[in-house]
Every structure is written in C-alpha cells, then in structure tokens.
C-alpha cells in the first residue's frame, strides 16, 4: 500500500531505529518492513491515510531542525539518529509520528523469529507444550498424552535458568 | 454454517475440549456482497449489538427466556485452535485497530479493546473481581439506583462467577515473576491477594492477551456464545452497526454495513461489502463503552449524559530489572494482586508482556534500546491501576467514529505517582537492581534510596506514559435523564425498546477489573428485559 518513495523512507527509518549490537545485528530489515506493511492495513483509516504524508515530512523535514537542506534518506547514521531525536523531543504531532514509527519498528523487530530465538524466548514452543499438557491433564493422563505430543509436562530450567522448551517451528512463529 | 475446527492448524495428540466446541447458526458477513439496490434484511425479537462481556450473556439469557435472538458482531469468529503467541497476527485478528487505539488528552492514554466474537473477553487477563462493596454502597445510597446494593447484587455475581468459572491458580502454573512479586510484597508487609481468574485449569502459558490457545480461559467465546448458539440464537459476524432505527420514539431495529477483517467495507481483493438492516422488538447495545455511545450519537440520541462521564482506570507501568533470570513469559498471567491500597484508589499487579510490546514502552531506539531489551528475561513488568476521579468523554470524530478524551484530575496525577512509587518499592524489595519508570523525565532509578525522586517529581500531566484496557460509564445508569443515559435496569431514558448491556452503563469507576461487574449487570438487566418483552407481548 505504500509507494516506492514512501517505502524507501520507511526502510531508512528502520535502518536508523532498529536495535543493534550483539545478537540484534541480524539481517532482517526487509522482513521488518514487510511486517510493518501488513500491520498498516489494520490501522484506523485516518492513521493509515496520513502515514505516507508523515513519512514525506520526515524525508523533507531536516531543515526544520537546522540539519540543512538534505533529505532524511541521504543522511548518514549519526546525523539521522540526531535528526530522529529532534522529532522525539518536538512534542505534538511530530512526537506522535515518531512514537508511531518507532512502535511499528520495535514490535516487528523484536517479534521476528530470529530475534526471539536470539533472546531465548520460545513462547510458541511453550504454547504447544502447554496446550498438550492441559489437554492431557483434563483427559486424566498427562504423561502418556504428553509423550504423544512430544512435549514435557512442566517447563524445566537449565543451570543458567534457561527454559528447556524447544519449538520445532511447525506450529507458530511470526507472520502466521 | 457449523464451525468446529480450523483447517490448516496442526492437531495435538491430545486436544483440549474447547477445540471441539460447536458454533452453529453463524453467518459470515463477508459473504454478503454489495447490492446497489438495497440492504440485506433480517428480523428477530431481539437484536444484540456486540458479543463481549455484556452482549454474550444478555443474548444467551434472552434466548433461554424463549426469544428469537440475533447477535451482531463487527469482528470475526476466531476459534481457540487458531490462537497464536505471535502478537502481530493476534493484534490484527483480535484487536480493534490492531491494538493501536488511544484516548486523547494530556497525557494521551494508550488503549486496547477486542474486535472479535467474544469481544475483549477473548484477549483479557482473566481477573474476575466482584464490584467492591463500598462502590455498590455508592450506587445504591448516593446514586439511589434500585437493587444495586451488595445483597441484591449477590445473586448476579454468583451467576456471573459460575459462567466465568472463577478459580485460583494451580501451584504448578506460577512463574518466577509471580514468586518475586509476592516476595517483594511480603518483605514490605503488604497483604497479597490470590487473584480469582476465569479459567478452567489454566496451565500458566501467559498468552491470555493474545487469546488463550489452551482453552483454559473462560472467555465468552467458549462459554456464553456457544451456549446461546446451541440454544438457537443466531450470530452474524463482520456486521458493523451504524445506527439504531427509530419510529415514533421507539427503537425498531438497527442498520449497518458488513466489513472485512480489517474493519473496512472495501475488500482487499476489490469489491464492496453490503449493507444490512435488522428489524427487532428490542435493541440491545453491547458494543462497549466506546462504541455504544458512538452508535447512540450516530442515531441522533444526543445531549443529556450520552458520552459523558467516561472512566478509564489509567495504568502506569513499572519494570523491575533483576540480576537473576526471571523468564517473564513463563507462568500464569497475574496470579496475585495487591489490594492494600484500594482505598487510595490504587491496585498493583504484574503482567508477562511479549518482547515486541514491552519494547514500545522502553524509551529510545537503536543501540541504547537494544542494551535495555537484552535484559528482557530479567524483567518483571508491574503496573499500578488507578481508580480515576477525572472524567472523560466519547465524541464523534470527523470520521463519524467514536473518539475518546480524558483528563486526569489532580487527585489522579497524585495517585499515579503514589502507585508508581509503591510498585517501584515492591520491585526493589524483591531484589531489582534498577526500575524503569513511566516518566519521560525520570526514566530509571537504581535503588530504593532513589525512590524519593518520584515523590519530588513535579506533578506534570504530560510526560507520563499511561495505558488502559478498562473503560466504562460513558452511557451510565442514573435515576433520570439528567443523571444518566439508562435507568437502573439498562433501559435508555425516554426511548422504548432500546437498552444497553455493556461497560458503558457502569455508574462510576469501580477500581477493580470490570468484566465480572459487566457480566453481572448484563444478566440482571436481561432478566428484567425478558419480563418487559413478555408483558408487551401479552398486552
Ligand atoms: C487486553 C485486555 C485485558 C483485560 N484484562 C481484564 C481482566 O483481567 N479482568 C477484567 O475484569 N477485565 C479485563 N479487561 C476488560 C474487560 O475485558 C472489558 O471491560 C469487557 O470485556 C468489556 O465488556 P463490553 O461488553 O463492554 O465490551 P467488549 O467485551 O469489548 O465487547 C464489545 C464488542 O462489541 C463489538 N462492537 C463494537 N462496535 C460494534 C458495532 N458498531 N457493531 C457491531 N459490533 C460492535 C466489538 O467488536 C466487541 O466484540 C481487559 C481488556 C483488555 C482489552
Ligand atoms: S495463563 Fe495461559 S492457560 Fe492460563 S488463561 Fe492465560 S493463556 Fe490460558
């Protein structure tokens, strides 16, 4: 639903705002953009319709914050970061736009399967296990049923406190 | 159409019984195309608009009383088997505006509500509390609302609790976040409440907010909806009501349009969806405290108290960061709460929030954000809920949809600071090394010795990050038109045949999680409406 130019601005915003460092340096910006685009369809009409306009303001807004006459998409990382912070502190509509774009980037980034895995969060794996566990408990035969489902009765932790639930990815994950 | 299973979803060796529930008499609104020359027409004794905490029990109760009931729901029928832990898919399917709504004001308050069969009960946390006695006293004594005292309400709370199947958590479902929450409170000498939750053998997955895939949570989707349908009620999904039809001062039905899963009347693949009209003897509005006043206003039921007196139970989040690994995604959703400060209008709880959702409440972006979020498995998200004394409004926006505004009273601002301080104190008592605060100008403190900074923070309304999932009182009960929109039995003052059965009729802020209050009031009112209808038929 976004045109080429708006998508380019969005991609640059993702590149600047995405969490980075350590295991967050995964190459997933394209996926994050696709997830954001699917999300946009569900936003209320006023937000959806004004979003591309907001992106254009980000693109052509540097001079408003004395960053010169350049465009956002041609800024290097450091300048772009400083520029985005201006939006954050501006209050009113610019701050709301900043919060909106930031929220979309962060939700889609941290819920990406690669990032969840790196963060050692296997919520869907645990869901598979718990569904089978409850069904088995209600059927009065937890152990047998759990074996059939390939899951464990309770979530055990290793010495470092890491939960020992491993999803095979067959029944969940982002984008479904 | 009878729906029992969802194609394409792998089956588990043992299936929870909720996966095999039957949903007969359901029609999918997306199948009703646009007719240039008219609307799709339906008829019933009773039309119920909205299938959440208020609408579903009202529909079931009126169907049991022998009436032909048609339930209209703007969202889709998403079965237990289809629920996932991925917030992106779930927010799109189950939440209005994919969970991005907000209440305008200073500060704006983030707000979320359900849009699906079962309404917000499908995505709620399952806490089930009766309306506190002091609140009921206020309704019956000061507001002089008939039969709202504790004794008269007891029967309805009992019935609500049996529908909701309220029970406490099993020991094997508690997570480390719960243990630390309780330990912190114990250390401070606070009383800890064992949270009653509406569930049948919850197994502590902590996915309540995205739909309970285990089937444990007794939302309306697995209780009153299948019961009503099984008894012969009909359900039309993706049917959005625009307005109530009136003739000679009485309601005679509703009209609206069909929408797709995005809430749009234009299909993604092209083409438009149709309009509909329903004729009925009784119109029950149960679209929630935002949309019910919206429908009233679009129907030109204006003035008086319509849309006024909105309460929001603002929530402020306080994140404790611990040295030890907490795994906040493991263990039941909010097994305990602190009610010690309810008289001050403060309730403290906690939640296991998915990383992507928690991330939006952590300031900044880029590397700094990543450094904080790398601690996700060491975090507990506590929250204080405020029994607000300020009042907001529901108004029609330029898009003719209901918009909400709210202004915190000075008392509310103070209560937020007090609640944040208490929750932060509890986190430090539990062993947190630092605590993230919901204040833009005071984002983090690093020890109990810094709690005074919260006390000293200037009481500014802006720069506080608030959210809510409880709204109420926007078409409240009152003895007459000057005091409320409906009478003590949910009947709209001055309009025959039009009644309300959702959170909007709650007469004042109640300070505890509201679903049980809503179910109890809906059951109580529905019994009266059935009597009214029978009388009318006889005469
Ligand atoms: C994330 C979350 C967590 C919560 N946790 C708790 C908790 O732990 N305990 C608790 O007690 N409460 C909790 N709540 C609040 C509780 O679920 C709600 O207060 C309650 O469900 C409100 O009931 P209702 O009938 O007023 O509205 P809802 O349950 O929201 O139902 C309204 C229904 O009407 C439909 N609708 C709206 N407009 C139209 C229209 N024009 N035409 C047709 N249909 C329409 C909606 O799609 C929706 O399905 C939570 C809520 C949320 C969102
Ligand atoms: S904690 Fe898990 S099992 Fe219990 S109600 Fe919530 S999602 Fe269902």
């Amino acid at each position: 639903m976004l045109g080429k130019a708006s998508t380019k601005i969005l991609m640059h915003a993702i590149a600047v705002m995405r969490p980075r460092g350590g295991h967050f340096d995964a190459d997933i910006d394209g996926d994050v953009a696709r997830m954001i685009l699917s999300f946009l369809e569900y936003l209320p009409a006023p937000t959806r319709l004004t979003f591309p306009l907001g992106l254009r303001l980000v693109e052509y807004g540097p001079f408003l914050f004395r960053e010169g006459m350049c465009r956002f998409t041609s800024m290097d990382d450091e300048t772009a970061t400083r520029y985005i912070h201006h939006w954050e502190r501006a209050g009113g509509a610019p701050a709301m736009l900043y919060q909106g774009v930031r929220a979309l980037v962060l939700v889609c980034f941290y819920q990406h399967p690669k990032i969840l895995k790196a963060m050692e969060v296997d919520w869907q794996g645990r869901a598979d296990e718990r569904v089978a566990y409850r069904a088995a408990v209600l059927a009065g035969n937890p152990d047998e049923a759990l074996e059939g489902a390939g899951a464990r009765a309770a979530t055990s932790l290793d010495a470092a406190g890491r939960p020992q639930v491993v999803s095979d990815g067959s029944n969940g994950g982002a984008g479904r | 159409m009878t729906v029992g299973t969802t194609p394409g979803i792998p089956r588990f060796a043992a299936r929870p019984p909720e996966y095999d529930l039957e949903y007969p008499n359901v029609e999918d609104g997306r199948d009703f195309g646009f007719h240039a020359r008219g609307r799709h027409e339906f008829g019933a004794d009773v039309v119920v608009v909205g299938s959440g905490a208020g609408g579903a029990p009202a529909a079931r109760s009126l169907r049991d009383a022998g009436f032909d009931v048609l339930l209209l729901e703007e969202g889709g029928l998403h079965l237990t088997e289809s629920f996932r832990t991925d917030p992106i898919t779930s927010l799109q399917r189950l939440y209005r505006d994919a969970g991005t709504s907000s209440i305008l004001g200073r500060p704006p308050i983030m707000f979320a509500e359900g849009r699906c069969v079962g309404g917000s009960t499908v995505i709620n946390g399952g806490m089930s509390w009766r309306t506190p006695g002091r609140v009921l006293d206020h309704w019956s004594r000061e507001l002089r609302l008939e039969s709202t005292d504790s004794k008269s309400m007891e029967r309805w709370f009992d019935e609500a609790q049996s529908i909701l199947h309220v029970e406490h958590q099993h020991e094997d479902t508690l997570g480390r976040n719960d243990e630390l929450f309780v330990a912190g409170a114990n250390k401070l000498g606070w009383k800890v409440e064992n949270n009653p939750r509406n569930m049948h053998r919850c197994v502590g997955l902590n996915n309540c907010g995205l739909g309970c895939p285990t089937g444990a949570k007794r939302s309306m989707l697995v209780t009153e909806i299948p019961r009503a349908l099984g008894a012969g009620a009909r359900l039309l999904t993706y049917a959005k009501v625009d307005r109530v039809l009136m003739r000679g001062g009485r309601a005679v039905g509703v009209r609206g349009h069909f929408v797709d899963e995005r809430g749009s009347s234009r299909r993604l693949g092209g083409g438009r969806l149709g309009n509909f009209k329903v004729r009925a003897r009784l119109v029950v509005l149960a679209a929630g405290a935002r949309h019910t006043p919206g429908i009233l206003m679009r129907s030109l039921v204006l003035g008086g108290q319509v849309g006024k007196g909105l309460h929001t139970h603002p929530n402020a989040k306080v994140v404790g960061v611990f040295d030890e690994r907490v795994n906040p995604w493991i263990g039941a959703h909010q097994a305990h709460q602190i009610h010690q400060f309810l008289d001050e209008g403060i309730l403290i709880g906690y939640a296991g929030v998915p990383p992507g959702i928690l991330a939006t409440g952590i300031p900044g972006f880029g590397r700094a954000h990543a450094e904080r979020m790398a601690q996700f498995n060491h975090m507990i998200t506590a929250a204080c809920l405020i029994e607000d004394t300020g009042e907001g409004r529901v108004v029609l926006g330029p898009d003719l949809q209901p918009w909400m505004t709210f202004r915190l009273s000075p008392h509310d601002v103070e209560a937020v600071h007090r609640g944040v301080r208490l929750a932060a104190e509890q986190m430090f008592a539990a062993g947190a090394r630092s605590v993230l605060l919901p204040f833009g100008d005071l984002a983090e403190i690093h020890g109990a010795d810094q709690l005074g900074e919260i006390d000293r923070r200037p009481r500014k309304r802006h720069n506080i990050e608030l959210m809510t999932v409880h709204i109420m009182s926007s078409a409240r009960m009152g003895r007459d038109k000057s005091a409320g929109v409906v009478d003590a039995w949910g009947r709209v003052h001055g309009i025959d045949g039009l009644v309300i059965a959702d959170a909007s009729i709650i007469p004042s802020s109640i300070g505890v999680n509201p679903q049980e209050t809503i179910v109890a009031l809906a059951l109580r009112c529905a019994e009266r409406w059935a009597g009214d209808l029978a009388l009318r038929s006889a005469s």
Side-chain angles (χ1 to χ4, degrees):
Chain A
M1 62 157 290
L2 282 186
K4 251 191 179 165
S6 299
T7 307
K8 187 176 166 202
I9 306 167
L10 178 64
M11 286 299 293
H12 198 62
I14 294 171
V16 175
M17 295 176 105
R18 76 195 295 280
R20 57 189 74 235
H23 50 232
F24 292 126
D25 283 335
D27 178 19
I28 56 167
D29 288 10
D31 290 353
V32 171
R34 272 187 293 280
M35 286 154 91
I36 291 178
L37 293 181
S38 88
F39 218 93
L40 287 178
E41 293 289 346
Y42 289 81
L43 299 186
T47 317
R48 206 174 56 233
L49 299 175
T50 51
F51 190 75
L53 185 72
L55 288 175
R56 294 302 166 104
L57 285 176
V58 173
E59 173 74 339
Y60 298 107
F63 75 93
L64 294 174
F65 298 107
R66 299 205 195 105
E67 291 290 350
M69 291 304 286
C70 61
R71 293 181 177 195
F72 170 61
T73 47
S74 59
M75 284 176 164
D76 61 39
D77 247 24
E78 199 188 316
T79 320
T81 303
R82 192 174 58 229
Y83 171 59
I84 296 280
H85 278 303
H86 286 311
W87 280 80
E88 176 184 8
R89 289 189 285 263
M96 274 168 74
L97 178 66
Y98 158 79
Q99 287 297 357
V101 175
R102 189 187 86 103
L104 286 169
V105 172
L106 295 180
V107 171
C108 297
F109 180 85
Y110 286 110
Q111 289 303 141
H112 191 283
K114 279 192 183 156
I115 300 301
L116 287 176
K117 192 156 190 243
M119 289 175 80
E120 296 174 349
V121 174
D122 186 10
W123 216 307
Q124 186 60 43
R126 190 170 144 79
D128 298 347
E129 174 217 334
R130 293 282 96 184
V131 168
Y133 178 57
R134 176 171 176 272
V137 168
L138 293 184
N141 198 358
D143 295 339
E144 201 176 301
L146 283 168
E147 229 166 80
R152 278 170 289 271
T155 305
S156 48
L157 304 178
D158 70 9
R162 287 191 193 86
Q164 301 297 292
V165 217
V166 183
S167 158
D168 63 2
S170 65
N171 190 31
R176 278 169 193 253
Chain B
M1 178 175 73
T2 295
V3 191
T5 53
T6 308
I9 307 280
R11 283 157 183 268
F12 294 97
R15 290 164 61 78
E18 293 76 13
Y19 283 22
D20 295 317
L21 283 171
E22 292 288 323
Y23 294 84
N25 308 323
V26 182
E27 283 192 279
D28 188 324
R30 293 170 303 177
D31 296 339
F32 291 89
F34 181 70
H35 272 311
R37 266 183 283 146
R39 302 169 193 278
H40 299 274
E41 300 222 2
F42 305 85
D45 292 331
V46 180
V47 61
V48 180
V49 181
S51 63
R60 197 271 308 145
S61 167
L62 288 159
R63 176 63 206 148
D64 281 353
F67 298 101
D68 175 21
V69 174
L70 175 61
L71 193 49
L72 303 178
E73 169 54 54
E74 184 184 340
L77 174 58
H78 300 286
L79 303 180
T80 301
E81 204 172 351
S82 71
F83 293 151
R84 289 288 165 275
T85 61
D86 155 37
I88 297 181
T89 313
S90 310
L91 290 170
Q92 292 172 356
R93 278 188 195 159
L94 306 175
Y95 281 68
R96 181 174 298 279
D97 302 336
T100 63
S101 311
S102 68
I103 300 175
L104 303 176
R106 226 181 144 162
I109 303 178
M110 285 181 278
F111 166 69
E113 62 183 335
R115 184 180 61 199
C116 54
V117 172
S120 303
T121 69
V122 173
I123 51 166
N124 77 18
M127 271 70 79
S128 299
W129 291 93
R130 294 182 178 213
T131 321
R134 71 187 159 81
V135 176
L136 293 173
D137 285 348
H138 170 62
W139 295 358
S140 63
R141 290 194 198 138
E142 280 148 59
L143 304 180
R144 293 188 294 128
L145 293 166
E146 189 189 345
S147 306
T148 54
D149 56 289
S150 299
K151 195 158 182 297
S152 313
M153 286 298 294
E154 195 167 322
R155 170 186 159 207
W156 302 110
F157 287 128
D158 287 346
E159 200 174 318
Q161 288 206 324
S162 92
I163 290 168
L164 292 168
H165 200 281
V166 178
E167 60 183 31
H168 294 296
Q169 273 325 121
H170 286 250
E171 280 288 315
D172 66 348
T173 66
L174 305 180
R176 183 68 184 140
N177 54 357
D178 184 71
E179 284 172 9
L180 289 169
F181 181 84
V182 171
N186 285 341
K187 204 157 171 197
L188 295 166
W190 298 351
K191 187 162 175 274
V192 178
E193 300 291 335
N194 195 350
N195 223 345
R197 300 183 61 233
N198 60 316
M199 56 202 175
H200 174 41
R201 207 357 172 146
C202 165
V203 284
L205 169 62
N206 195 0
N207 201 57
C208 322
L210 302 178
C212 173
T214 75
K217 192 174 74 185
R218 306 282 86 185
S219 72
M220 293 301 138
L221 177 70
V222 298
T223 54
E224 294 291 75
I225 298 282
R227 274 178 213 141
L229 298 177
R234 291 169 289 145
L235 167 64
L236 193 50
T237 59
Y238 295 107
K240 175 169 181 164
V241 168
D242 294 324
R243 52 178 298 179
V244 179
L245 299 169
M246 309 274 192
R247 198 185 316 128
R250 70 166 292 119
V252 292
V254 294
R255 75 167 200 227
H257 62 283
F258 295 109
V259 293
D260 70 1
E261 41 293 307
R262 299 165 305 147
S264 165
S265 56
R266 286 179 191 279
R267 287 193 184 109
L268 253 184
R272 275 177 65 186
L273 291 160
N275 300 320
F276 64 85
K277 188 194 256 183
V278 180
R279 295 245 166 239
R281 291 161 62 204
L282 181 70
V283 176
V284 181
L285 296 183
R290 175 186 181 185
H291 300 279
T292 284
I295 295 171
L296 289 174
M297 288 184 238
R298 285 197 298 259
S299 313
L300 302 181
V301 179
L302 302 164
Q305 297 298 321
V306 177
K308 292 186 187 157
L310 176 76
H311 286 294
T312 61
H313 279 180
N315 255 270
K317 176 173 69 18
V318 171
V319 180
V321 186
F322 291 76
D323 283 330
E324 73 166 282
R325 191 166 164 135
V326 177
N327 298 317
W329 48 284
I330 291 185
H333 178 85
Q334 205 167 128
H336 293 96
Q337 285 182 341
I338 307 296
H339 284 201
Q340 174 127 353
F341 309 100
L342 272 194
D343 285 347
E344 295 178 54
I346 298 166
L347 184 154
I348 303 174
Y350 66 91
V353 187
I357 308 289
L358 181 65
T360 63
I362 305 254
F365 56 85
R367 194 173 294 279
H369 198 274
E371 278 165 15
R372 281 204 167 120
M373 281 299 290
Q375 296 298 308
F376 176 76
N377 275 321
H378 296 254
M379 290 177 174
I380 297 183
T381 307
C384 55
L385 178 156
I386 305 304
E387 183 181 329
D388 48 322
T389 58
E391 285 195 356
R393 283 188 82 149
V394 179
V395 295
L396 277 191
D399 54 354
L400 291 185
Q401 297 307 310
W403 294 25
M404 296 181 287
T405 62
F406 185 80
R407 190 180 159 83
L408 295 173
S409 71
H411 174 276
D412 299 339
V413 177
E414 197 53 47
V416 168
H417 284 79
R418 169 102 172 114
V420 166
R421 191 198 203 281
L422 289 166
E425 197 177 352
Q426 185 184 0
M427 290 298 104
F428 284 125
R433 83 168 109 90
S434 68
V435 170
L436 307 179
L437 301 174
F439 304 125
D441 46 14
L442 180 59
E444 186 169 5
I445 51 176
H446 296 276
D449 55 328
Q450 293 180 2
L451 285 168
E453 292 194 28
I454 302 174
D455 304 333
R456 286 189 291 278
R457 180 181 184 268
R459 294 328 193 217
K460 288 181 284 189
R461 281 192 180 81
H462 64 285
N463 252 338
I464 307 180
E465 191 202 297
L466 297 175
M467 60 88 60
T468 183
V469 289
H470 302 169
I471 53 167
M472 60 196 79
S473 312
S474 50
R476 63 178 181 244
M477 290 178 175
R479 282 178 65 81
D480 53 35
K481 218 175 163 177
S482 67
V485 175
V486 296
D487 68 10
W489 302 99
R491 298 174 293 208
V492 175
H493 289 296
I495 302 178
D496 280 346
L498 182 59
V499 297
I500 303 180
D502 58 29
S504 50
I505 65 172
I506 296 178
S508 66
S509 183
I510 59 174
V512 293
N513 313 70
Q515 70 170 339
E516 192 171 322
T517 302
I518 299 163
V519 174
L521 288 175
L523 293 167
R524 169 181 167 277
C525 292
E527 187 186 72
R528 178 61 63 113
W529 304 333
D532 290 350
L533 272 175
L535 264 182
R536 219 189 315 145
S537 306
S539 63

